[in-house]
Amino acid sequence: MSLTAKNKDTIKSFWAKVAPRAEDIGTDALSRMLVVYPQTKTYFSHWKDLSPGSAPVRKHGKTVMSGVAEAVSKIDDLTAGLLTLSELHAFQLRVDPANFKILSHNLLVVLAIQFPDDFTPEVHVATDKFLSAVALALSEKYR
């Protein structure tokens, strides 16, 4: 599923609204993922506190959203634009790429909750397609 020019414009416009709240969104999405999908905790076993909203969760939520911001800025070539992140997750962190889809789902949930008026069906579809494309680009080095 490729992103159309309209999808890309929709993502860029929506991201302008999301960006000022990115840290809170990232924290909430990561917190939800760790609670709803406890198997994902294995990647963060070195953290002292995995509870929702804890300092390490906030820090990594911010990091995740920085990666999403990078993806928005490189939306025309996600595979090349996210190559460094793909290599990091594949070779150093060894994250199962299925987890990218899990986190994407949690991001969609949080965005829908925090932006009820802006998260129209059109924005929902574009964001879902975008996050799927990001997950695919991050999985590139696993092949």
Side-chain angles (χ1 to χ4, degrees):
M1 187 176 337
S2 61
L3 292 166
T4 65
K6 186 173 181 177
N7 291 149
K8 292 176 185 180
D9 289 342
T10 300
I11 290 300
K12 290 174 188 175
S13 296
F14 185 56
W15 183 255
K17 296 173 184 178
V18 169
R21 294 167 52 187
E23 185 174 342
D24 291 335
I25 292 163
T27 299
D28 194 7
L30 191 59
S31 293
R32 285 174 178 276
M33 182 184 79
L34 293 170
V35 170
V36 178
Y37 300 93
Q39 72 272 21
T40 61
K41 290 180 181 181
T42 60
Y43 297 103
F44 308 105
S45 60
H46 57 285
W47 292 355
K48 292 187 190 310
D49 186 1
L50 290 169
S51 63
S54 67
V57 171
R58 281 198 80 71
K59 183 179 178 195
H60 195 63
K62 184 177 182 179
T63 300
V64 166
M65 292 306 283
S66 293
V68 176
E70 183 177 349
V72 171
S73 73
K74 297 177 178 177
I75 199 166
D76 290 320
D77 190 358
L78 290 171
T79 302
L82 299 179
L83 185 61
T84 303
L85 279 175
S86 178
E87 290 173 341
L88 172 69
H89 285 83
F91 302 131
Q92 283 183 269
L93 302 175
R94 300 185 190 274
V95 175
D96 181 341
N99 291 299
F100 303 139
K101 293 178 185 179
I102 292 172
L103 184 56
S104 294
H105 172 74
N106 284 279
L107 277 169
L108 280 174
V109 169
V110 172
L111 291 169
I113 291 168
Q114 292 199 16
F115 297 91
D117 296 332
D118 298 304
F119 204 73
T120 63
E122 177 185 20
V123 169
H124 185 165
V125 168
T127 304
D128 191 22
K129 285 174 68 174
F130 170 69
L131 292 174
S132 293
V134 169
L136 185 63
L138 289 174
S139 301
E140 183 65 26
K141 284 298 171 180
Y142 290 83
R143 296 175 194 158

